[in-house]
């Protein structure tokens, strides 16, 4: 049971969030029609209709689109401000119930979420609401997608600069560095 809806995001809003997190999907990959977050922590994802069959056991492009419902929690995790996104790196269990069934919708059950990772179960449904596949304990890791600071703001950088003895209070030489360089040029 999904429970009452908290928020509904349409195609434009979902992919605006994705763009802000460094994931830039072209028109052919923007397959989410809407994503709804529910009071009980579930996220339901409805994909755009597709009439074509798939040669795959499970269509990888539509399966990926099912996971786009995860973008609904990106604002809460401040991904844009932090310059990160979350990508799947591991899963504990995969069960395919109906091979070659085209994914139509998904339900994502968030198990845990933090600034470092999100762990969720994914339930994938085909036409007619039949369960097609289940992916348990999918771990999505936070990865940097943009640098927020330049190296100069967080590191010591050596810069070569000619100086005279003033900086070290060693001014016993009556000439400056410019004088020494000028005299060297004059002598060839």
């Amino acid at each position: 049971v999904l429970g009452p809806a908290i928020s509904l995001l349409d195609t434009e809003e979902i992919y605006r969030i994705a763009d802000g997190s460094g994931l830039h999907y072209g028109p052919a990959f923007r397959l989410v029609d809407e994503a709804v977050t529910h009071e009980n922590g579930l996220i339901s994802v409805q994909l755009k209709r597709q009439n074509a069959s798939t040669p795959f056991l499970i269509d990888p492009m539509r399966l990926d689109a099912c996971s786009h419902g995860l973008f609904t929690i990106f604002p809460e995790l401040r991904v844009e401000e932090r310059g990160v996104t979350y990508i799947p790196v591991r899963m504990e269990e995969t069960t395919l119930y109906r091979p070659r069934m085209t994914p139509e919708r998904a339900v994502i059950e968030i198990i845990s979420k933090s600034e470092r990772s999100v762990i969720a179960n994914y339930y994938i449904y085909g036409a007619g609401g039949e369960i097609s596949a289940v992916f348990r304990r999918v771990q999505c890791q936070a990865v940097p997608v943009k640098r927020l600071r330049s190296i100069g703001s967080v590191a010591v950088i050596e810069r070569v600069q000619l100086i005279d003895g003033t900086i070290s209070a060693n001014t016993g030489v009556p000439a400056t560095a410019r004088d020494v360089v000028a005299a060297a040029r004059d002598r060839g």
Side-chain angles (χ1 to χ4, degrees):
V1 177
L2 291 174
I6 295 175
S7 68
L8 182 142
L9 301 177
D10 65 10
T11 304
E12 292 304 314
E13 185 63 15
I14 285 289
Y15 293 106
R16 187 201 61 72
I17 292 169
D19 283 338
S21 73
L23 299 172
H24 308 293
Y25 291 94
F29 292 92
R30 293 179 176 225
L31 301 178
V32 173
D33 193 30
E34 66 180 25
V36 180
T37 55
H38 300 273
E39 276 185 2
N40 55 3
L42 299 176
I43 302 165
S44 59
V45 180
Q46 182 65 49
L47 301 183
K48 294 178 180 177
R49 284 245 180 244
Q50 177 182 341
N51 294 329
S53 62
T54 180
F56 303 100
L57 291 176
I58 189 163
D59 187 311
M61 195 161 123
R62 292 184 69 81
L63 178 62
D64 179 65
C66 286
S67 71
H68 295 176
L70 199 63
F71 300 155
T72 62
I73 64 170
F74 279 19
E76 176 185 346
L77 294 169
R78 301 178 10 262
V79 297
E80 192 168 349
E81 298 90 44
R82 292 173 38 230
V84 300
T85 195
Y86 290 82
I87 59 167
V89 294
R90 172 177 77 166
M91 71 182 78
E92 287 187 12
E93 181 184 333
T94 303
T95 306
L96 181 62
Y97 293 102
R98 302 200 183 279
R100 293 185 177 40
M101 182 179 281
T102 302
E104 294 282 328
R105 68 181 188 89
V107 174
I108 302 170
E109 174 188 21
I110 303 295
I111 296 169
S112 69
K113 58 186 169 189
S114 71
E115 290 190 350
R116 300 183 85 196
S117 69
V118 174
I119 299 173
N121 294 328
Y122 293 79
Y123 304 92
I124 312 300
Y125 297 88
E130 294 183 63
I131 189 85
S132 177
V134 175
F135 298 88
R136 295 198 191 279
R137 296 195 63 83
V138 177
Q139 181 176 351
C140 298
Q141 190 71 40
V143 295
V145 291
K146 61 184 173 183
R147 290 191 180 186
L148 298 177
R149 296 183 276 181
S150 69
I151 190 76
S153 69
V154 294
V156 176
I157 299 173
E158 180 181 359
R159 292 186 351 179
V160 177
Q161 182 176 358
L162 295 175
I163 61 168
D164 60 17
T166 306
I167 195 165
S168 62
N170 189 2
T171 59
V173 180
T176 66
R178 288 178 203 246
D179 297 334
V180 173
V181 170
R185 282 194 186 122
D186 290 344
R187 294 185 182 159

